[in-house]
Each structure stands twice: as C-alpha cells, then as structure tokens.
Amino acid sequence: MTGTETAHVGVVRPQRADARRNFDALLSAAREAFASDGTSASLEDIARRAGVGIGTLYRNFPTRDALVEAVYVDEVEAVVHAAEDAADFEDPWVGVEAWLRRFVTYIGTKKALLEGLNKDSPVLLSCRTSLYDAGEPLLERAQEAGELREDATIGDVIRMVSGIAGVAFDDDEQRDRVIAMAIDGLRAR
C-alpha cells in the first residue's frame, strides 16, 4: 500500500461542495472535542461546534466509532501529505525535520483517539503502513545525501519520536527542546 491509498480507507468525502464543507466542519469539530474531552465527547456538542444538526452528523458518521476512525484517518492523511510536501524540499534534512515536526503534532491527536479506536481495525493497520511508506523515502533521501545516520530505519525514527512526543512535559518549550535534541541525534556525524 502506498501513502496515497490512505484516503480510500474509511473516509469518503461527499462530492457536493456544501456536503463536503459540512463533512470537513464535523471532522474539525470532532478533532477539537476529542482533544479536549476525549472520544466520549458529546456528539450533539460536536454537531453544534460544526454548525450543523445532529442528523447531518449521523448521515456522515452513523456511529461514534465511525467518527473517531474518520478523524484518525484524516490526521494520517495530513501526515502523509506533509511527507509528500517535504519530499519537495531542496535540502533532504530540512524535509525530514519538517515531516517529523508534523508527525509530532499527529502523535498528540493520536493519543486522544487511540482510546476510541478498535486496536484490531484494518484501518489502523493500513494507516500505520501509510505513515511508514510516507516517511521512509524521506529518510532514504537524507541518508543518500549523507545527512541522516545510516543505521536509522523508519521504524526506529517513528518509535523514537512517538515515545518522546507521548511523554508529559512541563511546557511546550521543554517538549520542543527535547524533540529538537532527538531529531538532531539522527544527523550523520
């Protein structure tokens, strides 16, 4: 599976512009609600935040699980697209660093959503594969340029960044400093 196939897993956006706007507003409102209140956030509140009725929410997402899964897939799609954008950077190291910083943001969302996701879901496995497939060419390009450690694999890097991003920090400044130190540790010496 390639990173571009993620869009076809679980999230099918409506074709009509107004329906697509409602769909995207629901995803955005759900992302915010899940981040602040967890996956048990009120569906009525999510619909209200999106500026739509509860019927519109249920037409798009017949169950809470469908909404949680759609938000998760949408986040993964954004990280995959960030990898595609990072591949266009002239400097391979800058591309890797930009993608990893976007990945850190995804980890924050993922933590909130994991409690509501079925761990055996084929969508979850597909998303994981898409993330690895999206990041691996960035690492390989930086390794070929002599900018990234030769012994680093995409699995190593994702585990390292995920582990660090999942730790509680005193503040955002400390988190950013520790992430920067970890990313710097990937540089070829």
Side-chain angles (χ1 to χ4, degrees), residues 20 23 91 94 181:
R20 202 168 41 251
F23 184 91
D91 182 334
V94 174
M181 287 186 278

Side-chain angles (χ1 to χ4, degrees), residues 22-94:
N22 288 343
F23 184 91
D24 290 341
L26 284 164
L27 284 179
S28 179
R31 184 179 301 106
E32 291 172 11
F34 294 156
S36 64
D37 303 328
T39 56
S40 62
S42 160
L43 295 180
E44 290 81 8
D45 181 50
I46 291 170
R48 191 173 25 263
R49 286 182 190 207
V52 301
I54 192 69
T56 299
L57 184 145
Y58 280 115
R59 254 190 317 282
N60 284 283
F61 309 102
T63 66
R64 177 181 300 276
D65 289 347
L67 179 58
V68 170
E69 196 170 87
V71 170
Y72 182 73
V73 169
D74 192 57
E75 281 296 303
V76 169
E77 287 175 350
V79 177
V80 168
H81 291 302
E84 293 165 358
D85 293 343
D88 292 335
F89 284 44
E90 188 173 321
D91 182 334
W93 176 257
V94 174

Side-chain angles (χ1 to χ4, degrees), residues 87-110:
D88 292 335
F89 284 44
E90 188 173 321
D91 182 334
W93 176 257
V94 174
V96 166
E97 190 171 14
W99 183 71
L100 288 174
R101 291 194 181 281
R102 176 57 184 93
F103 187 82
V104 167
T105 304
Y106 152 78
I107 294 300
T109 303
K110 178 183 173 188

